[in-house]
Structure formats: C-alpha cells, structure tokens
Amino acid sequence: MCGIVGYIGKKTHGYDVLVDGLKRLEYRGYDSAGICVMTDKKTKTFRSVGTVARLEEKVGTPIDGVRVGIAHTRWATHGKPRVKNAHPHSSGKIHLVHNGIIENYQQLKKELIAAGYTFTSETDSEVVAHLIARENKKHDFAEAMYRALGRVVGAYALVILHEDYPDTLIAARNSSPLIVGIGKDAYIVASDASAIVSHTDRVVYLDDGEVMMVHDGAYTITNLRGRKKTKKTHTIDVDTQKAERSGYAHFMLKEMHEQPHAIEDAMRGRIILADGMARLGGLNSVEKRLRTIKRIVIVSCGTSYHAGLVGEYMLEEYAGIPTEVEWASEFRYRKPLIDAHTAVIAISQSGETADTRAAVREVKQKGGLALGIVNAVGSTIARETDAGVYNHAGPEIGVASTKAFTSQLAILTLLTVYLGRQRNMSMTMGKRILSELRKTPQAMTHILAQHDAIKKIAKKYANATSMFYLGRKYNFPIALEGALKMKEISYIHTEGYASGEMKHGPIALIDKDFPSVILAPKDSVYDKTLSAIEEIKARSGKVIALTTHGTKQVEKIADDVIYIPKTLELLTPLLAVVPLQLLAYYTGVIKGYDVDKPRNLAKSVTVE
Ligand code: G6P
C-alpha cells in the first residue's frame, strides 16, 4: 500500500532508478505518483494523478544529473487522489515520501497551523514534513528528524531529503516495510525488493523503530533516539525476469499460467513419497513443539483468508487438529485465547499485511507459537514468526492474487500431511495425498488450456449486475474466492455463499437475470450440490456449473459447464479455483477494465 523509493549515489542516473522502482512498486497503489530529485543543490518536484506513466508524461524528458531523489506511488488513505495530495510533500527545503498512517496527525496539524505552517494537502503525511522543518530551525537535519518522529504516532516508512544536505538521505520505519539496497556506488531505499534487485542483491531490512542515514557515501542505522545499531546485510535472490509480463497481456494472466510451475516450486524437495511424509525445513526448529499442538488458529486477510478456510477442512479431516480461521483484522480486536498448545499460522503472500502482522505480534505477546506461510522472502511476517514455510511462488504483481493462492493451498496440503503424520495419519494416506498433489500441476495445465471456452462463458454473462458463487465443504471457500476475484476485477456485485445456506434467505434474489456459479465437483457432497442447482433452476436462475470430467447429471441441468480433472476431494479447491480466476479475468477484460490495477485496491495492504 503506497510504494516509496529513494536513491542516493555517485552516479547521476537517479531519475531512472527512481522511475523504474516506482513502476515495479505500482502494484502497491496507483492513485497518484510523484518524484522529487535534486540537481545542483536544487530540487525539482513533479506530481500527477494516476499511474507512473502519467507522471513520466508530466516530467517529459528524463532528468539527468540526479544523485539524490525520492519517489512515491500512492494508494489514497487521507485525501482524495488529487495532485495536491500526491507525494512528495514538502516544507521549505524538506521533502519526503511516506507510506503508512500518522494516527495523531489531526492534533499535530492543529498545533502546526497555530505555529504558522500552511498545509497544502489533506494528507496525514504533510505533518511530518512541517514537524521536521520546525525542529530544523534549531537542530540539524538528523536531530530535527529524530525529534519530529518522537512526536509521531502511527505507521510509517519515510524517505526524506533536505536541499541543504545534498549528500544525505534519511529513511525511517515503523510498521510499514522498508528495505535498503546497498550497491557499489549507491543506496536505494524501497518498500520492497523489486525496486532494488536490478541494482544490487545486498540489502538491509529495516525493523520497526529504525532509521537509516546515508551521508557522504556511508550509511549508519540507529534507533529513533539516534543510538547506532549494527545490522546484518542479506543477499536476496530474486529472479527479476519473473517480475516482467513476458508477453502476456496482463500480470494476472501470466500468473494464472504460472500456477502449475508455482505448485511444482512449492512441492520441490518437500515430498518423501516412499514414507508418505512431507519435509518442511522451515519447521525443523519447532518440530517437537508441533507434536504437542492441540489447536490451530489461522489468521489472514483477503484471498489468503480463503486459503486458510480450505486449510481448516484439510487440517481437521486429515491431521485431526481442531482448527479455526479468522480475519486477522478481527482476531486482534477480540481477546484471542492462546495457550502453549495453540499454533497460530499467519498466511500472507506479501508478508507485510498490517492486520496479519499485528495478529502475529499479539500471538507472540501471549507466548503462543507463531508460524507463517509467506511468499515474499525476507518480508516482515517471515522474519517475525517463530518458524514457517515459504511458498517460493515468485513475485506476484497482479493485484488479484492467483498463483499465491494455489501455492498456499499446496503448502497447506503439505502441512496437513506433516502434522497428520506426526499424529494418526497412516503412511498409505500420506502417500495417497502426496502422490495426488504431485499430479495437480498437470491437471492445472489442462484446465488453463480451456481458456477459450471460459472466455465464451465470460462473454455470455459479462452484463450481469449480480452473481452468486456457491459451494459446499472444501469448495465453499472456493465460492468465496471465485466471488472475490469477480468483484475485484470486473466490478460485478458477487456473493460467495455456502450452497446449503441459500435456502435461508439469498435464494429470494434469484431470477433469470441473477446467474449463479456453482461448484459441483464429484465429491462427498455432490448429490447435495445437484439439489442446489435444481433449486436455482426451478426459480429460473441461470447456472454455470463447475464439475468433474465424466459426470453427466450436471450437464443436463446447468446452462454452462466447466470441467476439471478428477482428484482427491481435499485437492479439488486447487483445481476448481483456476477456471473461476479465468472467468473473472476474461469478464474484466471484456468489460474493458485494467485487471492488473483494479480501482480502489492495492496489493499489499500495509495500513490498518
Ligand atoms: C490485499 C490484496 C489481496 C490479498 C490481501 C492479503 O487485499 O489485494 O489480493 O489477498 O491483501 O494479502 P497478503 O499479502 O497478506 O496475502
């Protein structure tokens, strides 16, 4: 949520580094973009509403001779997407970009207005610029910044420059992610590694309450009171190619097609088929403790929450461990009962979602075991949990999550076998699940090849204003996920529902213009699902049914049918979600929307 980049270096290509970084971070927000660069001790600031491409148009000829600069791509929190609210924000000679929310900004704003400062934006961020400027009247840049941050309550990743200090760049973090890339002749500070990897693979992850200052080519890291800290540098291994569209019309399309590969990567080295066992190296350190776990709580948001719901069915049925799933945003505001026998699993693609992070902190505070299923290597949740499993799905750029979701399901299957085999699961059952899991990439490839048929269905229903997505048992969460995908990128009002609950209210909405997507694979609840289809058809509702190859009844009653290959019931979600992703994708494209940048959304939600 908001992407920020800062550059300081000997080379004068800062403008290119900043703009390239912004483009890579654009998935974090695209309400507005801005840049402030310094050449010959003078700053130039450009800001525009919309995408980075529009900012570039505004700048015109790329700016040469930039040794220091900051840039921002915004997801609006305080203040509409207007130029005046776009970052960077300035106060005199101080310019900054901010990601996060300053919670006490109204109080600070009042105080600063009374002191004579004029605000030009509606943002919370501008107060920080004025606070630093006020302190800077008496103190140098660094001291002014420390004093100003001492007044700020809330979440921030900040990169700040000062016209009188052309050899200095300051970055500070509290709750919002910030990584420093350490190059040979330059430093790049960014919200995530994607803006850094093409320049250097050496990074320092800033933690909460840390400040990084680059001055005259050297850097120091301190706490918020200026006390120096020593930090480890890490080498990151990110394949930059994976973050390119590689000929696909959209990242979402590319990422859907990458799913078979992502599942292979999630399984690689983790299956010991002969023993029916899963090997999860990231859990080695807590292996003994996991044997004593009597309850699991999964916390996550959005699509990751839906993966958690599938995990609940798997873990209860096959590992025999009572499992609950909670939106992280709710979990932390209840009084969660966590004891030494509870494991909390945070599922997060980005590893930076503010609510999921806060839930992890709450668990650790209560002495519980916090585990992570995280895709972004080195992200905050990956670092803050006690142990965990990486997805290895590679960067996911499309705002609507696809490959991260199916890879989360693959990891949850492995975890089910891992925990199940620690308990009562037989070797035969372990083998069965794992050998079927190994077949899913091929089955997915088969489904993806049906894209033309799915596109036709999308065309037929693209003008619907509302749709139901219904499923039962393992595919109830897939109904929720299918509905979410459709609403995210096609803006059709959709509702995901448990098909058995339809009769208790929602069915009142059904008429000939209100189609339903029904998940009806040949599983243990197949007959019940057939009845749900009949009930909708009896009320003139149109039905798009998703079923397993070889089932004949569905074809007779549904208006349109999409087929998936046969697999074990617990693995049907992994396959069933793929056509629903395609259906949402093609509907969004047919309706002329930019599916990679759906309105009002951001990929990484780093504010609460
Ligand atoms: C945002 C994204 C969703 C994602 C959710 C959770 O809302 O748009 O696609 O599922 O955050 O993100 P996480 O990175 O924690 O999985």
Side-chain angles (χ1 to χ4, degrees), residues 4 99 145 149 154-160 170-180 189-191 204-212 222-224 231 351-352 357 361 378-381 383-384 606:
I4 62 181
N99 168 26
M145 183 271 314
L149 291 188
Y156 53 79
L158 287 160
V159 190
I160 315 157
I170 297 182
R173 164 183 171 145
N174 191 42
S175 283
S176 301
L178 210 49
I179 302 177
V180 185
V189 191
S191 303
V204 172
Y205 296 106
L206 288 189
D207 285 309
D208 288 349
E210 289 183 344
V211 174
M212 190 242 18
T222 67
N223 66 12
L224 289 178
K231 293 277 291 187
E352 301 292 350
R357 269 196 69 194
R361 275 204 303 268
S379 57
T380 309
I381 295 173
R383 288 181 290 126
E384 289 184 353
T606 51

mmCIF file of all heavy atoms in Angstrom, residues 4 99 145 149 154-160 170-180 189-191 204-212 222-224 231 351-352 357 361 378-381 383-384 606:
data_model
loop_
_atom_site.group_PDB
_atom_site.id
_atom_site.type_symbol
_atom_site.label_atom_id
_atom_site.label_comp_id
_atom_site.label_asym_id
_atom_site.label_seq_id
_atom_site.Cartn_x
_atom_site.Cartn_y
_atom_site.Cartn_z
ATOM 1 N N ILE A 4 7.313 3.385 -2.043
ATOM 2 C CA ILE A 4 8.238 4.506 -1.978
ATOM 3 C C ILE A 4 9.635 4.053 -2.380
ATOM 4 O O ILE A 4 10.022 2.904 -2.159
ATOM 5 C CB ILE A 4 8.254 5.186 -0.584
ATOM 6 C CG1 ILE A 4 8.714 4.236 0.518
ATOM 7 C CG2 ILE A 4 6.893 5.726 -0.229
ATOM 8 C CD1 ILE A 4 8.715 4.909 1.893
ATOM 9 N N ASN A 99 4.710 6.155 3.490
ATOM 10 C CA ASN A 99 3.754 5.056 3.388
ATOM 11 C C ASN A 99 3.321 4.727 4.810
ATOM 12 O O ASN A 99 4.169 4.518 5.676
ATOM 13 C CB ASN A 99 4.430 3.847 2.718
ATOM 14 C CG ASN A 99 3.611 2.580 2.836
ATOM 15 O OD1 ASN A 99 2.397 2.624 2.964
ATOM 16 N ND2 ASN A 99 4.290 1.441 2.801
ATOM 17 N N MET A 145 14.921 15.427 12.514
ATOM 18 C CA MET A 145 14.118 14.260 12.119
ATOM 19 C C MET A 145 13.818 13.380 13.352
ATOM 20 O O MET A 145 12.680 12.971 13.564
ATOM 21 C CB MET A 145 14.902 13.493 11.047
ATOM 22 C CG MET A 145 14.228 12.316 10.451
ATOM 23 S SD MET A 145 14.548 10.835 11.370
ATOM 24 C CE MET A 145 16.305 10.925 11.631
ATOM 25 N N LEU A 149 10.067 12.657 14.698
ATOM 26 C CA LEU A 149 9.499 11.301 14.775
ATOM 27 C C LEU A 149 9.082 10.964 16.200
ATOM 28 O O LEU A 149 8.167 10.172 16.418
ATOM 29 C CB LEU A 149 10.482 10.266 14.234
ATOM 30 C CG LEU A 149 10.730 10.328 12.721
ATOM 31 C CD1 LEU A 149 11.559 9.140 12.260
ATOM 32 C CD2 LEU A 149 9.427 10.357 11.928
ATOM 33 N N GLY A 154 1.906 6.253 14.958
ATOM 34 C CA GLY A 154 1.307 5.619 13.780
ATOM 35 C C GLY A 154 2.312 4.796 13.018
ATOM 36 O O GLY A 154 3.379 4.449 13.528
ATOM 37 N N ALA A 155 1.926 4.506 11.792
ATOM 38 C CA ALA A 155 2.761 3.642 10.958
ATOM 39 C C ALA A 155 3.432 4.497 9.893
ATOM 40 O O ALA A 155 2.798 5.366 9.304
ATOM 41 C CB ALA A 155 1.892 2.586 10.295
ATOM 42 N N TYR A 156 4.713 4.251 9.692
ATOM 43 C CA TYR A 156 5.369 4.994 8.631
ATOM 44 C C TYR A 156 6.570 4.262 8.059
ATOM 45 O O TYR A 156 7.264 3.533 8.750
ATOM 46 C CB TYR A 156 5.817 6.396 9.102
ATOM 47 C CG TYR A 156 6.668 6.416 10.358
ATOM 48 C CD1 TYR A 156 8.027 6.111 10.335
ATOM 49 C CD2 TYR A 156 6.083 6.748 11.577
ATOM 50 C CE1 TYR A 156 8.787 6.152 11.496
ATOM 51 C CE2 TYR A 156 6.840 6.784 12.744
ATOM 52 C CZ TYR A 156 8.196 6.487 12.699
ATOM 53 O OH TYR A 156 8.935 6.505 13.844
ATOM 54 N N ALA A 157 6.727 4.449 6.764
ATOM 55 C CA ALA A 157 8.014 4.254 6.112
ATOM 56 C C ALA A 157 8.217 5.603 5.454
ATOM 57 O O ALA A 157 7.340 6.087 4.730
ATOM 58 C CB ALA A 157 7.930 3.155 5.077
ATOM 59 N N LEU A 158 9.337 6.227 5.759
ATOM 60 C CA LEU A 158 9.582 7.582 5.268
ATOM 61 C C LEU A 158 10.930 7.634 4.580
ATOM 62 O O LEU A 158 11.893 7.002 5.034
ATOM 63 C CB LEU A 158 9.641 8.552 6.454
ATOM 64 C CG LEU A 158 8.345 8.912 7.178
ATOM 65 C CD1 LEU A 158 8.665 9.451 8.567
ATOM 66 C CD2 LEU A 158 7.549 9.946 6.385
ATOM 67 N N VAL A 159 11.015 8.371 3.501
ATOM 68 C CA VAL A 159 12.328 8.706 2.940
ATOM 69 C C VAL A 159 12.340 10.214 2.780
ATOM 70 O O VAL A 159 11.408 10.806 2.230
ATOM 71 C CB VAL A 159 12.609 8.005 1.595
ATOM 72 C CG1 VAL A 159 14.071 8.204 1.212
ATOM 73 C CG2 VAL A 159 12.294 6.522 1.651
ATOM 74 N N ILE A 160 13.393 10.813 3.309
ATOM 75 C CA ILE A 160 13.398 12.272 3.451
ATOM 76 C C ILE A 160 14.678 12.848 2.852
ATOM 77 O O ILE A 160 15.782 12.322 3.077
ATOM 78 C CB ILE A 160 13.357 12.661 4.959
ATOM 79 C CG1 ILE A 160 12.300 11.819 5.694
ATOM 80 C CG2 ILE A 160 13.082 14.138 5.147
ATOM 81 C CD1 ILE A 160 12.531 11.704 7.186
ATOM 82 N N ILE A 170 17.717 10.245 4.342
ATOM 83 C CA ILE A 170 17.308 9.587 5.589
ATOM 84 C C ILE A 170 16.049 8.753 5.328
ATOM 85 O O ILE A 170 15.144 9.190 4.612
ATOM 86 C CB ILE A 170 17.030 10.628 6.697
ATOM 87 C CG1 ILE A 170 18.315 11.395 7.027
ATOM 88 C CG2 ILE A 170 16.484 9.953 7.946
ATOM 89 C CD1 ILE A 170 18.167 12.421 8.144
ATOM 90 N N ALA A 171 16.026 7.571 5.924
ATOM 91 C CA ALA A 171 14.834 6.720 5.820
ATOM 92 C C ALA A 171 14.494 6.225 7.218
ATOM 93 O O ALA A 171 15.391 5.955 8.023
ATOM 94 C CB ALA A 171 15.110 5.541 4.905
ATOM 95 N N ALA A 172 13.207 6.110 7.507
ATOM 96 C CA ALA A 172 12.803 5.641 8.837
ATOM 97 C C ALA A 172 11.615 4.717 8.707
ATOM 98 O O ALA A 172 10.792 4.877 7.808
ATOM 99 C CB ALA A 172 12.424 6.837 9.709
ATOM 100 N N ARG A 173 11.551 3.756 9.621
ATOM 101 C CA ARG A 173 10.472 2.776 9.536
ATOM 102 C C ARG A 173 9.784 2.538 10.876
ATOM 103 O O ARG A 173 10.441 2.393 11.907
ATOM 104 C CB ARG A 173 11.062 1.442 9.040
ATOM 105 C CG ARG A 173 10.104 0.302 9.301
ATOM 106 C CD ARG A 173 10.593 -1.045 8.936
ATOM 107 N NE ARG A 173 9.623 -1.981 9.472
ATOM 108 C CZ ARG A 173 9.248 -3.117 8.917
ATOM 109 N NH1 ARG A 173 9.793 -3.514 7.801
ATOM 110 N NH2 ARG A 173 8.350 -3.884 9.486
ATOM 111 N N ASN A 174 8.485 2.505 10.841
ATOM 112 C CA ASN A 174 7.716 1.972 11.954
ATOM 113 C C ASN A 174 6.463 1.318 11.388
ATOM 114 O O ASN A 174 5.587 1.998 10.877
ATOM 115 C CB ASN A 174 7.335 3.077 12.951
ATOM 116 C CG ASN A 174 6.787 2.477 14.218
ATOM 117 O OD1 ASN A 174 7.325 1.479 14.701
ATOM 118 N ND2 ASN A 174 5.700 3.022 14.719
ATOM 119 N N SER A 175 6.435 0.023 11.378
ATOM 120 C CA SER A 175 5.291 -0.777 10.902
ATOM 121 C C SER A 175 5.127 -0.891 9.387
ATOM 122 O O SER A 175 4.512 -1.818 8.922
ATOM 123 C CB SER A 175 3.958 -0.263 11.459
ATOM 124 O OG SER A 175 3.844 -0.673 12.770
ATOM 125 N N SER A 176 5.613 0.051 8.612
ATOM 126 C CA SER A 176 5.492 -0.083 7.157
ATOM 127 C C SER A 176 6.836 -0.538 6.601
ATOM 128 O O SER A 176 7.877 -0.064 7.055
ATOM 129 C CB SER A 176 5.086 1.238 6.528
ATOM 130 O OG SER A 176 3.858 1.651 7.058
ATOM 131 N N PRO A 177 6.822 -1.446 5.619
ATOM 132 C CA PRO A 177 8.090 -2.059 5.204
ATOM 133 C C PRO A 177 9.064 -1.098 4.519
ATOM 134 O O PRO A 177 8.644 -0.187 3.818
ATOM 135 C CB PRO A 177 7.633 -3.123 4.206
ATOM 136 C CG PRO A 177 6.278 -2.707 3.761
ATOM 137 C CD PRO A 177 5.671 -1.962 4.894
ATOM 138 N N LEU A 178 10.344 -1.359 4.732
ATOM 139 C CA LEU A 178 11.395 -0.556 4.102
ATOM 140 C C LEU A 178 12.675 -1.391 4.013
ATOM 141 O O LEU A 178 13.121 -1.960 5.006
ATOM 142 C CB LEU A 178 11.635 0.705 4.950
ATOM 143 C CG LEU A 178 12.106 1.969 4.242
ATOM 144 C CD1 LEU A 178 11.266 2.303 3.019
ATOM 145 C CD2 LEU A 178 12.075 3.142 5.197
ATOM 146 N N ILE A 179 13.195 -1.442 2.818
ATOM 147 C CA ILE A 179 14.425 -2.218 2.590
ATOM 148 C C ILE A 179 15.468 -1.287 2.000
ATOM 149 O O ILE A 179 15.145 -0.446 1.157
ATOM 150 C CB ILE A 179 14.153 -3.381 1.607
ATOM 151 C CG1 ILE A 179 13.055 -4.293 2.153
ATOM 152 C CG2 ILE A 179 15.408 -4.192 1.339
ATOM 153 C CD1 ILE A 179 12.680 -5.419 1.219
ATOM 154 N N VAL A 180 16.712 -1.456 2.423
ATOM 155 C CA VAL A 180 17.785 -0.634 1.882
ATOM 156 C C VAL A 180 18.672 -1.519 1.016
ATOM 157 O O VAL A 180 19.220 -2.519 1.491
ATOM 158 C CB VAL A 180 18.646 -0.037 3.029
ATOM 159 C CG1 VAL A 180 19.693 0.909 2.456
ATOM 160 C CG2 VAL A 180 17.774 0.666 4.049
ATOM 161 N N VAL A 189 16.557 2.877 -1.360
ATOM 162 C CA VAL A 189 15.637 2.513 -0.279
ATOM 163 C C VAL A 189 14.282 2.281 -0.924
ATOM 164 O O VAL A 189 13.853 3.094 -1.753
ATOM 165 C CB VAL A 189 15.484 3.673 0.726
ATOM 166 C CG1 VAL A 189 14.768 3.196 1.970
ATOM 167 C CG2 VAL A 189 16.814 4.262 1.065
ATOM 168 N N ALA A 190 13.595 1.212 -0.563
ATOM 169 C CA ALA A 190 12.313 0.962 -1.222
ATOM 170 C C ALA A 190 11.384 0.151 -0.337
ATOM 171 O O ALA A 190 11.821 -0.521 0.606
ATOM 172 C CB ALA A 190 12.530 0.230 -2.541
ATOM 173 N N SER A 191 10.098 0.199 -0.697
ATOM 174 C CA SER A 191 9.090 -0.554 0.063
ATOM 175 C C SER A 191 9.278 -2.044 -0.083
ATOM 176 O O SER A 191 8.920 -2.809 0.801
ATOM 177 C CB SER A 191 7.685 -0.213 -0.427
ATOM 178 O OG SER A 191 7.452 1.140 -0.325
ATOM 179 N N VAL A 204 19.644 -4.461 3.485
ATOM 180 C CA VAL A 204 19.404 -4.457 4.932
ATOM 181 C C VAL A 204 17.896 -4.268 5.108
ATOM 182 O O VAL A 204 17.309 -3.381 4.488
ATOM 183 C CB VAL A 204 20.146 -3.287 5.619
ATOM 184 C CG1 VAL A 204 19.725 -3.168 7.076
ATOM 185 C CG2 VAL A 204 21.647 -3.468 5.528
ATOM 186 N N TYR A 205 17.287 -5.141 5.903
ATOM 187 C CA TYR A 205 15.864 -4.972 6.204
ATOM 188 C C TYR A 205 15.755 -4.070 7.423
ATOM 189 O O TYR A 205 16.257 -4.432 8.498
ATOM 190 C CB TYR A 205 15.213 -6.317 6.539
ATOM 191 C CG TYR A 205 15.211 -7.286 5.369
ATOM 192 C CD1 TYR A 205 16.093 -8.376 5.345
ATOM 193 C CD2 TYR A 205 14.338 -7.122 4.305
ATOM 194 C CE1 TYR A 205 16.095 -9.268 4.282
ATOM 195 C CE2 TYR A 205 14.332 -8.012 3.242
ATOM 196 C CZ TYR A 205 15.205 -9.074 3.235
ATOM 197 O OH TYR A 205 15.195 -9.951 2.178
ATOM 198 N N LEU A 206 15.144 -2.928 7.268
ATOM 199 C CA LEU A 206 14.954 -2.084 8.450
ATOM 200 C C LEU A 206 13.833 -2.675 9.292
ATOM 201 O O LEU A 206 12.839 -3.164 8.760
ATOM 202 C CB LEU A 206 14.574 -0.659 8.050
ATOM 203 C CG LEU A 206 15.672 0.218 7.438
ATOM 204 C CD1 LEU A 206 15.180 1.654 7.313
ATOM 205 C CD2 LEU A 206 16.950 0.184 8.259
ATOM 206 N N ASP A 207 14.004 -2.626 10.600
ATOM 207 C CA ASP A 207 12.947 -3.072 11.504
ATOM 208 C C ASP A 207 12.238 -1.857 12.090
ATOM 209 O O ASP A 207 12.700 -0.721 11.914
ATOM 210 C CB ASP A 207 13.537 -3.955 12.616
ATOM 211 C CG ASP A 207 13.884 -5.337 12.077
ATOM 212 O OD1 ASP A 207 13.003 -5.947 11.441
ATOM 213 O OD2 ASP A 207 15.023 -5.788 12.261
ATOM 214 N N ASP A 208 11.137 -2.129 12.802
ATOM 215 C CA ASP A 208 10.378 -1.014 13.382
ATOM 216 C C ASP A 208 11.268 -0.189 14.304
ATOM 217 O O ASP A 208 12.079 -0.734 15.068
ATOM 218 C CB ASP A 208 9.181 -1.547 14.181
ATOM 219 C CG ASP A 208 8.121 -2.083 13.240
ATOM 220 O OD1 ASP A 208 8.237 -1.846 12.016
ATOM 221 O OD2 ASP A 208 7.186 -2.734 13.724
ATOM 222 N N GLY A 209 11.089 1.114 14.245
ATOM 223 C CA GLY A 209 11.848 2.000 15.122
ATOM 224 C C GLY A 209 13.277 2.202 14.663
ATOM 225 O O GLY A 209 14.117 2.612 15.464
ATOM 226 N N GLU A 210 13.566 1.927 13.414
ATOM 227 C CA GLU A 210 14.950 2.113 12.928
ATOM 228 C C GLU A 210 15.019 3.213 11.871
ATOM 229 O O GLU A 210 14.090 3.418 11.089
ATOM 230 C CB GLU A 210 15.484 0.804 12.346
ATOM 231 C CG GLU A 210 15.748 -0.220 13.437
ATOM 232 C CD GLU A 210 16.345 -1.520 12.925
ATOM 233 O OE1 GLU A 210 16.299 -1.783 11.712
ATOM 234 O OE2 GLU A 210 16.839 -2.286 13.769
ATOM 235 N N VAL A 211 16.163 3.864 11.895
ATOM 236 C CA VAL A 211 16.418 4.953 10.954
ATOM 237 C C VAL A 211 17.706 4.637 10.208
ATOM 238 O O VAL A 211 18.688 4.203 10.814
ATOM 239 C CB VAL A 211 16.604 6.285 11.726
ATOM 240 C CG1 VAL A 211 17.012 7.408 10.781
ATOM 241 C CG2 VAL A 211 15.324 6.655 12.472
ATOM 242 N N MET A 212 17.689 4.834 8.899
ATOM 243 C CA MET A 212 18.923 4.670 8.139
ATOM 244 C C MET A 212 19.315 6.024 7.566
ATOM 245 O O MET A 212 18.474 6.719 7.016
ATOM 246 C CB MET A 212 18.716 3.678 7.000
ATOM 247 C CG MET A 212 19.995 3.292 6.349
ATOM 248 S SD MET A 212 20.241 3.681 4.584
ATOM 249 C CE MET A 212 19.103 4.871 4.126
ATOM 250 N N THR A 222 20.334 3.630 13.106
ATOM 251 C CA THR A 222 20.158 3.985 14.514
ATOM 252 C C THR A 222 18.734 3.656 14.944
ATOM 253 O O THR A 222 17.899 3.349 14.104
ATOM 254 C CB THR A 222 20.346 5.507 14.733
ATOM 255 O OG1 THR A 222 19.268 6.187 14.091
ATOM 256 C CG2 THR A 222 21.665 6.009 14.197
ATOM 257 N N ASN A 223 18.512 3.761 16.241
ATOM 258 C CA ASN A 223 17.126 3.697 16.700
ATOM 259 C C ASN A 223 16.541 5.107 16.619
ATOM 260 O O ASN A 223 17.201 6.027 16.116
ATOM 261 C CB ASN A 223 17.024 3.081 18.104
ATOM 262 C CG ASN A 223 17.671 3.961 19.167
ATOM 263 O OD1 ASN A 223 18.001 5.119 18.916
ATOM 264 N ND2 ASN A 223 17.860 3.413 20.349
ATOM 265 N N LEU A 224 15.327 5.284 17.138
ATOM 266 C CA LEU A 224 14.668 6.586 16.970
ATOM 267 C C LEU A 224 15.258 7.671 17.872
ATOM 268 O O LEU A 224 14.851 8.823 17.799
ATOM 269 C CB LEU A 224 13.165 6.458 17.245
ATOM 270 C CG LEU A 224 12.373 5.689 16.185
ATOM 271 C CD1 LEU A 224 10.913 5.580 16.587
ATOM 272 C CD2 LEU A 224 12.478 6.360 14.826
ATOM 273 N N LYS A 231 23.510 -3.875 11.937
ATOM 274 C CA LYS A 231 22.512 -4.723 11.275
ATOM 275 C C LYS A 231 23.200 -5.641 10.291
ATOM 276 O O LYS A 231 24.186 -5.267 9.648
ATOM 277 C CB LYS A 231 21.524 -3.843 10.488
ATOM 278 C CG LYS A 231 20.647 -2.980 11.319
ATOM 279 C CD LYS A 231 19.431 -3.688 11.840
ATOM 280 C CE LYS A 231 18.428 -4.029 10.773
ATOM 281 N NZ LYS A 231 17.188 -4.573 11.348
ATOM 282 N N GLY A 351 3.570 -10.893 3.092
ATOM 283 C CA GLY A 351 4.286 -10.904 4.377
ATOM 284 C C GLY A 351 4.301 -9.528 5.028
ATOM 285 O O GLY A 351 5.037 -9.288 5.982
ATOM 286 N N GLU A 352 3.477 -8.613 4.520
ATOM 287 C CA GLU A 352 3.500 -7.247 5.050
ATOM 288 C C GLU A 352 2.123 -6.747 5.459
ATOM 289 O O GLU A 352 2.002 -5.604 5.897
ATOM 290 C CB GLU A 352 4.068 -6.268 3.998
ATOM 291 C CG GLU A 352 5.475 -6.566 3.523
ATOM 292 C CD GLU A 352 6.530 -6.356 4.606
ATOM 293 O OE1 GLU A 352 6.206 -5.808 5.678
ATOM 294 O OE2 GLU A 352 7.679 -6.767 4.374
ATOM 295 N N ARG A 357 0.240 -8.898 10.415
ATOM 296 C CA ARG A 357 1.424 -8.630 11.248
ATOM 297 C C ARG A 357 1.032 -8.382 12.690
ATOM 298 O O ARG A 357 1.652 -8.893 13.619
ATOM 299 C CB ARG A 357 2.097 -7.342 10.757
ATOM 300 C CG ARG A 357 3.135 -7.531 9.742
ATOM 301 C CD ARG A 357 3.943 -6.267 9.679
ATOM 302 N NE ARG A 357 4.737 -6.091 10.887
ATOM 303 C CZ ARG A 357 5.334 -4.959 11.233
ATOM 304 N NH1 ARG A 357 5.221 -3.911 10.467
ATOM 305 N NH2 ARG A 357 6.050 -4.894 12.332
ATOM 306 N N ARG A 361 2.053 -10.368 16.160
ATOM 307 C CA ARG A 361 2.617 -9.718 17.355
ATOM 308 C C ARG A 361 1.791 -10.070 18.592
ATOM 309 O O ARG A 361 2.332 -10.346 19.662
ATOM 310 C CB ARG A 361 2.629 -8.199 17.166
ATOM 311 C CG ARG A 361 3.859 -7.701 16.433
ATOM 312 C CD ARG A 361 4.140 -6.250 16.776
ATOM 313 N NE ARG A 361 3.003 -5.411 16.467
ATOM 314 C CZ ARG A 361 2.831 -4.786 15.313
ATOM 315 N NH1 ARG A 361 3.737 -4.906 14.362
ATOM 316 N NH2 ARG A 361 1.779 -4.040 15.102
ATOM 317 N N GLY A 378 11.959 -12.815 3.136
ATOM 318 C CA GLY A 378 12.565 -11.728 3.914
ATOM 319 C C GLY A 378 11.555 -10.685 4.376
ATOM 320 O O GLY A 378 11.923 -9.697 5.001
ATOM 321 N N SER A 379 10.269 -10.899 4.092
ATOM 322 C CA SER A 379 9.261 -9.907 4.478
ATOM 323 C C SER A 379 9.075 -9.914 5.996
ATOM 324 O O SER A 379 9.568 -10.791 6.700
ATOM 325 C CB SER A 379 7.932 -10.219 3.789
ATOM 326 O OG SER A 379 7.544 -11.536 4.123
ATOM 327 N N THR A 380 8.343 -8.922 6.470
ATOM 328 C CA THR A 380 8.251 -8.749 7.922
ATOM 329 C C THR A 380 7.631 -9.966 8.612
ATOM 330 O O THR A 380 8.154 -10.429 9.632
ATOM 331 C CB THR A 380 7.417 -7.486 8.227
ATOM 332 O OG1 THR A 380 7.955 -6.416 7.462
ATOM 333 C CG2 THR A 380 7.477 -7.122 9.687
ATOM 334 N N ILE A 381 6.526 -10.485 8.068
ATOM 335 C CA ILE A 381 5.891 -11.632 8.750
ATOM 336 C C ILE A 381 6.830 -12.838 8.720
ATOM 337 O O ILE A 381 6.948 -13.573 9.707
ATOM 338 C CB ILE A 381 4.516 -11.952 8.121
ATOM 339 C CG1 ILE A 381 3.566 -10.774 8.364
ATOM 340 C CG2 ILE A 381 3.925 -13.251 8.694
ATOM 341 C CD1 ILE A 381 2.223 -10.859 7.669
ATOM 342 N N ARG A 383 9.955 -12.746 8.893
ATOM 343 C CA ARG A 383 11.012 -12.541 9.878
ATOM 344 C C ARG A 383 10.494 -12.571 11.310
ATOM 345 O O ARG A 383 11.212 -12.941 12.227
ATOM 346 C CB ARG A 383 11.743 -11.222 9.597
ATOM 347 C CG ARG A 383 12.627 -11.332 8.349
ATOM 348 C CD ARG A 383 13.385 -10.064 8.047
ATOM 349 N NE ARG A 383 12.508 -9.010 7.592
ATOM 350 C CZ ARG A 383 12.430 -7.809 8.128
ATOM 351 N NH1 ARG A 383 13.194 -7.495 9.157
ATOM 352 N NH2 ARG A 383 11.599 -6.906 7.669
ATOM 353 N N GLU A 384 9.233 -12.187 11.481
ATOM 354 C CA GLU A 384 8.737 -12.065 12.861
ATOM 355 C C GLU A 384 8.101 -13.330 13.424
ATOM 356 O O GLU A 384 7.899 -13.439 14.620
ATOM 357 C CB GLU A 384 7.751 -10.885 12.950
ATOM 358 C CG GLU A 384 8.483 -9.547 12.819
ATOM 359 C CD GLU A 384 7.574 -8.335 12.997
ATOM 360 O OE1 GLU A 384 6.350 -8.494 13.093
ATOM 361 O OE2 GLU A 384 8.124 -7.222 13.037
ATOM 362 N N THR A 606 -0.632 -2.310 3.815
ATOM 363 C CA THR A 606 0.255 -2.131 4.965
ATOM 364 C C THR A 606 -0.302 -1.134 5.973
ATOM 365 O O THR A 606 0.411 -0.691 6.857
ATOM 366 C CB THR A 606 1.653 -1.682 4.495
ATOM 367 O OG1 THR A 606 1.486 -0.554 3.623
ATOM 368 C CG2 THR A 606 2.346 -2.780 3.734
#
